[in-house]
Amino acid sequence: MPNPLKLILRRWDLIPPNLFADEFNDSLSPYITHPEISQLIERRADLSHVDCHSCGNGNFCEVHFIESDDGSSVPCAYCSHCGPFEVDPINLQCWQICTVPALNYLFGKMEVQTEVERIIGESLWSIGKARWSGGTRTILFAVGTLQSEAIEHLNRYRQALLFVSSQRLHQKVEQQISNTVFDLESILLFENDQISFDLGEVEDALVERDRHKKQTADKKTKRNDSIGKKVERLKTALTKLLVDARDYHLSTKYTGTAKMLQRPTQKDLANITKLSESDVSRYLKDEKNVELRTLWETLGDPEAILRYSGNIRCHETEV
């Protein structure tokens, strides 16, 4: 027996998510009264056009109804290549996945507190919150290929979990965004005539994501700590150089002709602090290091050096 849930999920990656007569009759007709499958699909208006299956030219033919001898209406179509042909009324039937009821039902089975809301047209939906793997997760659902507006929204909510219907759509979408993506085809099962949810696969992926996130945060913290210590080392060295330059000027002024020490280069700073020249250059250029940049600029301005308010220390003068 064909898997009705798999067909529904694979058609749900299209807009609109239609199910046509041939596939419906092959896979879904036995389940039209199934207590779960029947909550996912609904009958739509009959088709007004059909393909001509005789000529192979892909002609899309308009359907007309003519009255038969017994007074009943018979659907017919006219192909410009093959001529008129009768259409089986069953082949005009069209079914569609009913998005909001289906989302409420399926994600309800997945232990999500559902509050289904449309975000962008028929393509992006807010589902609700789930308590999975020790954390509260925001759940979103996408139908069809992501357009730019949907991608922009997802980029603003990178921690949200995005669900799509099929494995095929999963492969496309995960290349467009940084959110963690799951597909219902992989985690929803139809066994023993029932729909069930493989929570283990989702929680395993979330544990791995959270572990990676923590490792990244720890590395960033260690890196920031290391940078902070290097910047402080530079500040200490520059403060000492400023005090030395100012005190040298004052001591030589009181004993004869005032002199200024030559301003150190960034290479000199690297040697003093035991940092690389690239580190020194990068930290001095970083606009966030306001105090560090001010100290460095002051060291290049003789008048600013003399105004520097650090403690005065008199140097021994050369004889």
Side-chain angles (χ1 to χ4, degrees):
M1 181 74 70
N3 185 330
L5 181 61
K6 188 176 289 292
L7 172 62
I8 290 171
L9 295 176
R10 288 180 176 178
R11 287 295 173 269
W12 209 354
D13 60 12
L14 303 175
I15 299 177
N18 289 332
L19 297 154
F20 296 106
D22 52 353
E23 57 191 4
F24 178 85
N25 292 328
D26 290 343
S27 302
L28 291 178
S29 56
Y31 296 92
I32 191 59
T33 59
H34 187 278
E36 292 186 295
I37 297 298
S38 62
Q39 298 193 52
L40 310 181
I41 57 176
E42 60 185 354
R43 178 78 179 269
R44 307 294 288 178
D46 284 356
L47 299 176
S48 61
H49 290 73
V50 294
D51 291 320
C52 177
H53 295 296
S54 299
C55 64
N57 290 333
N59 288 342
F60 201 45
C61 311
E62 185 176 0
V63 176
H64 299 276
F65 288 85
I66 61 174
E67 186 175 338
S68 66
D69 294 338
D70 61 5
S72 61
S73 294
V74 179
C76 297
Y78 179 81
C79 173
S80 59
H81 186 270
C82 301
F85 61 95
E86 186 174 335
V87 180
D88 188 334
I90 292 179
N91 292 332
L92 295 179
Q93 293 181 3
C94 180
W95 297 74
Q96 190 174 86
I97 299 161
C98 41
T99 295
V100 174
L103 290 174
N104 274 305
Y105 184 75
L106 293 177
F107 281 95
K109 290 186 72 71
M110 294 161 60
E111 305 172 13
V112 177
Q113 297 296 318
T114 57
E115 294 182 8
V116 175
E117 294 181 356
R118 189 191 312 268
I119 298 175
I120 300 172
E122 295 294 324
S123 64
L124 189 62
W125 300 78
S126 172
I127 304 302
K129 304 284 186 180
R131 184 75 180 175
W132 291 335
S133 187
T136 300
R137 319 287 178 166
T138 298
I139 312 298
L140 304 177
F141 183 79
V143 181
T145 303
L146 292 179
Q147 303 302 316
S148 58
E149 189 177 358
I151 293 173
E152 289 175 7
H153 182 89
L154 289 164
N155 284 336
R156 293 196 296 270
Y157 298 93
R158 296 177 185 273
Q159 297 306 310
L161 306 182
L162 180 67
F163 282 76
V164 296
S165 59
S166 67
Q167 295 173 359
R168 175 179 57 189
L169 188 57
H170 184 165
Q171 293 172 358
K172 293 181 180 178
V173 165
E174 67 180 355
Q175 298 176 17
Q176 297 177 281
I177 57 174
S178 60
N179 302 67
T180 300
V181 182
F182 297 97
D183 64 85
L184 298 182
E185 186 179 355
S186 296
I187 61 179
L188 287 177
L189 309 175
F190 189 75
E191 297 177 341
N192 300 320
D193 215 32
Q194 292 182 329
I195 298 174
S196 59
F197 169 45
D198 184 5
L199 179 60
E201 181 172 336
V202 173
E203 292 201 319
D204 287 347
L206 292 178
V207 167
E208 178 61 24
R209 188 190 80 158
D210 291 345
R211 183 187 66 79
H212 178 72
K213 181 180 175 183
K214 184 177 184 304
Q215 286 180 342
T216 302
D218 289 346
K219 288 179 181 178
K220 185 176 181 180
T221 298
K222 290 178 180 178
R223 180 174 177 273
N224 288 341
D225 288 347
S226 175
I227 291 174
K229 290 177 181 178
K230 291 178 180 179
V231 170
E232 285 302 317
R233 200 186 309 173
L234 276 171
K235 286 180 185 178
T236 300
L238 285 172
T239 300
K240 183 178 184 302
L241 288 168
L242 276 173
V243 172
D244 287 346
R246 184 201 57 195
D247 292 357
Y248 181 78
H249 175 86
L250 292 176
S251 64
T252 54
K253 176 182 177 180
Y254 293 136
T255 58
T257 303
K259 299 177 182 179
M260 291 296 293
L261 290 174
Q262 184 177 358
R263 186 194 192 195
T265 64
Q266 290 188 13
K267 182 176 182 180
D268 295 330
L269 268 181
N271 291 332
I272 293 170
T273 57
K274 308 301 183 185
L275 300 176
S276 67
E277 288 186 57
S278 61
D279 276 351
V280 172
S281 176
R282 182 167 63 254
Y283 301 146
L284 290 175
K285 289 178 181 177
D286 190 342
E287 295 183 357
K288 295 193 295 291
N289 297 327
V290 177
E291 184 181 357
L292 182 68
R293 287 163 60 87
T294 300
L295 290 170
W296 175 245
E297 291 168 2
T298 300
L299 198 56
D301 184 345
E303 293 186 4
I305 290 174
L306 296 178
R307 293 194 302 269
Y308 184 69
S309 59
N311 294 330
I312 295 177
R313 293 182 291 103
C314 290
H315 286 247
E316 293 182 4
T317 55
E318 296 179 358
V319 180

